[in-house]
Amino acid sequence: MTFDVTAFDVTLADVQAAAARIAGKVRRTPTYYSAGLSARLGVETWVKVESLQLGGSFKVRGCYNKLMGLSDAELARGVVTVSGGNHAIAVSLVARAVGTRALVLMPKATPALNIRLTEEAGGQVELCEDSVAAFAKAEDYAAQGMTNVHSYDDPAIIAGHGTLGLELAADAGGRLDHVFISIGGGGFSAGVGTALKGLDPAVRLHGVETEGATTMTQALAAGEPVAIRPTSIARTLGAPFATKRTMAAARQFLEEIIVVPDAEAVRELVWVLQNGRVLLEPAAACVVAAALARKDSFRPGERVCLVLCGSNVALEDIEGWRKSFGV
């Protein structure tokens, strides 16, 4: 089955408009050269440390762009969202900042840390049986007048996330040949792809998933969204399905999708923490493992960037994973 890539509806101009809208609301996170990763990969390697973003991930970018575009009447009725991870925290932070209420529907299996961080950010948490039940309930709340802020299938969210790509292109000090970026539901890579490919069509984007969270890989193989029950420890990559919009973006912007084992994501999480002094969640550390898997394909003189997307992880989980995987 072929898929019509023209279904993707976010442009470079949309991302540039989002950057103007959210300017001063989010951090311009560091982009810097990594001597350690350059030595390991054999080419000049840069990192975009989005793990230092407000709320611990890139998600506030899209949330600010979305919520700042709502009317006073919409803000008065509040927003609802489905998330067990970084989007939940970001929606809650941004809703409080713009003066609206955030109702966050979470699967019962959501880690305690994520529930606590969401509530501390100002969100009202309601637990549901699973993601499917949560998405259904969000539709009910939307029918009652709340604005449903989808975590990745929303042009405003995608355009906001794309602002990271504008920063990366401006701050990396020259041409980038390869960029490695994590994929959950596909909204983040869609936005960053819009920006980077819009500015330089020659840049090659490599999507990264972990085993047990292959939402986009399965969707593209089937030619349509496929519901999955994620099993990866990289919980923030565990979107229950891709969408036609994010599939279209993946087909348009990505060279490939690399799938790495959880154990490798944990190994690189530990390496980055010890050598780069940066805390990452497995959903971010997996891009380091993916780049290492492709190091033999890099040519002399090429420049690589790894997007380190988030840092919301419990230290006790890291300890448990290290024991489990022998890292």
Side-chain angles (χ1 to χ4, degrees), residues 47-69:
V47 286
K48 173 67 167 167
V49 194
E50 189 68 4
S51 51
L52 298 177
Q53 184 56 263
L54 299 171
S57 85
F58 66 92
K59 291 286 190 176
V60 292
R61 295 176 181 272
C63 291
Y64 262 115
N65 194 47
K66 175 68 175 180
L67 269 61
M68 290 178 73

Side-chain angles (χ1 to χ4, degrees), residues 38 40 154 217 281:
S38 295
R40 295 180 75 195
D154 184 306
T217 297
E281 57 192 89

Side-chain angles (χ1 to χ4, degrees), residues 38-118:
S38 295
R40 295 180 75 195
L41 294 176
V43 291
E44 183 180 336
T45 302
W46 291 66
V47 286
K48 173 67 167 167
V49 194
E50 189 68 4
S51 51
L52 298 177
Q53 184 56 263
L54 299 171
S57 85
F58 66 92
K59 291 286 190 176
V60 292
R61 295 176 181 272
C63 291
Y64 262 115
N65 194 47
K66 175 68 175 180
L67 269 61
M68 290 178 73
L70 298 182
S71 67
D72 289 343
E74 288 170 322
L75 291 173
R77 291 193 293 268
V79 299
V80 62
T81 196
V82 176
S83 173
N86 293 335
H87 179 71
I89 298 165
V91 167
S92 302
L93 278 173
V94 174
R96 184 163 61 186
V98 301
T100 190
R101 178 173 74 100
L103 175 61
V104 182
L105 307 178
M106 290 181 156
K108 288 195 303 187
T110 299
L113 173 70
N114 292 5
I115 296 174
R116 177 173 65 81
L117 290 175
T118 299

